[in-house]
Amino acid sequence: MKTFHFGLLGGLLSIAGIGTVYQYHELQREKEVIHVNHQLKRLENQLSRIQQKQEEEIIHPTKDYQVYYQTHPQHQQIFKDGLPSHANVAVTEAYVCSHNLERKIPNWVIHEVYADERSKQRVADRAFSDFNNRSVTVPTHLRPSTYDYVGSGYSRGHMCPAGDCIKKSQQAMDDTFLLSSNIVPQEYKNNANYWYKMEMLCRDHLPSKFDKVRIINGPVFPVTTKDNKQHVRYQVIGKNNVAVPPYLFKVILCENENTHLTGDRQVHLAAFAVPNEPIDMDVPLTQFQIPLETLEKQCGLSIIPNVPKANQFDLCQTDPSNCAMLSGNDWELYDAKRKMGWANSIQDLERTINRLKSHDIPLSDDLQRKYDEKRRHLELAENMNTTLQKK
């Protein structure tokens, strides 16, 4: 009997042990399922947050800029068409830009010129503006200084030209002198000559053919190959290490309001990459034209992401005169007119006139009047200085 009782008890204990082991493994499996479900839920939440962030920052970038529709309505269409990038964006009265805090220059600057501005009077004067580093959205310790340019061999090159704001407002004019937002180190002869001719094309010529001209300017830092290795190399100037771009880009977009309003929008555009060095004034602009996608890949930008390709047309192919800059005698006369305005002495004035004479270019009636007026002004100033010195 005892043996039987012990055997029965052992059997019962054995069965109970098997049941306990079974329950243990079942609990372990439930735990694993719960853990996997928890992990899946966590991953789903992460994916949801990533998708939400992408929608906010990429798919619908204008969500972040709705406030500017009220504060800067003149730039509303720029935001609707999409910005080239969304890092360190700043908005001024004159333009929209993106700051490069490492290189101490803008990544890009967008502004517009309108046909109806041609008939308006000047309301701003660059004489009241000065180069400064007061870009409020740039931390103080990351701002360049005017002293960075002193003795560097480079001029302070405007991306949005000061001349494009003389009929907007003095505040817009002042905005163009912000170093972080609108200035890059530019070779002086390039800045004062070939690049200036490109600006004249956008300011004077194209607004006579289109209602609106949008210009996007910025630096290009191309990849170079040396010893079978690829590099991005560039010079820096000043104690703040301001980057000197080897190339500058200019994207020009032109359109007429009637095509926009009727829904059949036609944006005529062309992209150019110009070396930051002296360029012969007779070189055609089209020699520097490059495909928009090539520029975008080089600079990591998406120029007008919200404008369908079907609405984009080649500005230079549509009408070759669109990309024809002043040349020959026309340029010499235009250049003489602006240099007369700069002249600070009779010697400077006569040097400008003698250049025209050396090219056998006669003065127009308008230019002759400007010359006579400027000479009288300079003679009066020199006579006053002489009188003061005698006293």
Side-chain angles (χ1 to χ4, degrees):
M1 285 292 292
K2 290 181 180 179
T3 303
F4 172 77
H5 287 157
F6 281 121
L8 178 61
L9 181 61
L12 291 172
L13 291 172
S14 176
I15 292 171
I18 292 172
T20 302
V21 171
Y22 177 80
Q23 289 176 349
Y24 171 80
H25 286 294
E26 281 295 306
L27 288 172
Q28 285 296 103
R29 278 195 290 270
E30 287 180 8
K31 279 186 177 180
E32 290 176 1
V33 171
I34 292 172
H35 177 72
V36 169
N37 288 337
H38 177 73
Q39 290 288 87
L40 287 173
K41 188 66 176 177
R42 186 170 63 85
L43 290 173
E44 287 175 357
N45 290 338
Q46 288 180 343
L47 181 61
S48 177
R49 286 195 295 270
I50 291 172
Q51 289 175 336
Q52 183 179 0
K53 185 176 181 181
Q54 287 178 335
E55 288 179 355
E56 291 175 353
E57 295 183 355
I58 300 174
I59 301 175
H60 305 293
T62 53
K63 285 183 179 179
D64 299 330
Y65 307 119
Q66 290 288 344
V67 63
Y68 295 127
Y69 284 17
Q70 286 74 41
T71 59
H72 296 81
Q74 70 272 32
H75 302 319
Q76 188 174 124
Q77 192 59 49
I78 291 175
F79 287 111
K80 287 184 176 180
D81 289 342
L83 300 182
S85 64
H86 300 281
N88 303 316
V89 171
V91 182
T92 74
E93 187 168 331
Y95 53 80
V96 182
C97 72
S98 166
H99 295 124
N100 191 309
L101 302 182
E102 178 188 3
R103 291 172 174 165
K104 314 297 190 301
I105 58 176
N107 292 309
W108 48 262
V109 181
I110 308 176
H111 75 287
E112 293 181 327
V113 178
Y114 304 96
D116 61 6
E117 291 178 336
R118 291 163 55 83
S119 59
K120 293 182 179 179
Q121 298 296 315
R122 295 189 176 202
V123 295
D125 190 338
R126 65 179 295 157
F128 298 112
S129 304
D130 65 303
F131 289 100
N132 66 86
N133 63 358
R134 297 187 292 271
S135 295
V136 294
T137 56
V138 178
T140 304
H141 67 290
L142 298 178
R143 299 177 187 178
S145 165
T146 54
Y147 296 107
D148 291 323
Y149 288 80
V150 176
S152 68
Y154 289 92
S155 66
R156 291 163 294 194
H158 286 72
M159 294 293 90
C160 171
D164 284 6
C165 297
I166 57 176
K167 297 182 179 181
K168 296 183 185 294
S169 70
Q170 188 61 46
Q171 181 59 58
M173 173 70 73
D174 293 346
D175 291 340
T176 68
F177 287 82
L178 293 170
L179 294 172
S180 296
S181 306
N182 192 51
I183 304 297
V184 305
Q186 191 170 4
E187 198 281 328
Y188 176 76
K189 290 183 179 178
N190 177 287
N191 188 6
N193 295 304
Y194 201 86
W195 187 259
Y196 180 80
K197 283 179 68 173
M198 295 174 71
E199 292 175 344
M200 290 302 96
L201 179 77
C202 299
R203 183 187 309 159
D204 293 341
H205 178 57
L206 290 173
S208 69
K209 306 180 72 173
F210 297 92
D211 294 329
K212 180 172 67 177
V213 180
R214 183 182 304 170
I215 306 102
I216 309 172
N217 295 312
V220 183
F221 295 89
V223 175
T224 58
T225 302
K226 185 178 181 180
D227 299 329
N228 294 322
K229 295 180 180 179
Q230 293 182 311
H231 304 271
V232 175
R233 299 178 184 272
Y234 54 89
Q235 179 185 350
V236 295
I237 59 173
K239 68 177 183 178
N240 292 303
N241 297 323
V242 181
V244 179
Y247 285 78
L248 298 169
F249 76 79
K250 185 183 290 290
V251 179
I252 306 171
L253 303 92
C254 305
E255 61 180 313
N256 288 312
E257 288 300 325
N258 60 335
T259 66
H260 199 164
L261 296 174
T262 59
D264 184 26
R265 189 178 183 188
Q266 297 180 12
V267 179
H268 301 268
L269 64 87
F272 307 94
V274 178
N276 191 5
E277 60 188 35
I279 301 173
D280 189 292
M281 298 297 281
D282 293 327
V283 176
L285 178 59
T286 49
Q287 183 169 318
F288 301 110
Q289 186 176 6
I290 61 173
L292 184 63
E293 288 187 1
T294 300
L295 176 66
E296 291 176 324
K297 289 179 181 178
Q298 179 66 65
C299 299
L301 303 175
S302 182
I303 299 299
I304 44 172
N306 297 340
V307 178
K309 295 293 184 183
N311 297 100
Q312 300 178 24
F313 301 86
D314 189 300
L315 177 68
C316 302
Q317 288 186 1
T318 302
D319 181 353
S321 69
N322 290 337
C323 299
M325 300 192 298
L326 288 176
S327 60
N329 289 358
D330 291 334
W331 166 251
E332 291 293 339
L333 287 167
Y334 191 99
D335 192 41
K337 182 179 178 180
R338 67 170 179 148
K339 286 179 177 176
M340 280 186 188
W342 297 347
N344 292 320
S345 67
I346 293 177
Q347 289 78 11
D348 289 342
L349 183 64
E350 292 304 319
R351 191 180 299 115
T352 299
I353 295 301
N354 289 336
R355 177 174 174 82
L356 293 178
K357 291 180 179 178
S358 68
H359 287 76
D360 295 324
I361 302 174
L363 270 66
S364 64
D365 292 341
D366 179 58
L367 199 59
Q368 183 67 54
R369 283 193 299 271
K370 290 184 180 297
Y371 166 75
D372 294 337
E373 181 181 346
K374 186 70 175 183
R375 186 174 177 91
R376 284 194 298 270
H377 174 77
L378 292 172
E379 287 176 345
L380 179 61
E382 289 188 3
N383 290 337
M384 289 178 64
N385 287 335
T386 302
T387 303
L388 290 172
Q389 287 173 3
K390 288 180 179 179
K391 292 182 177 180

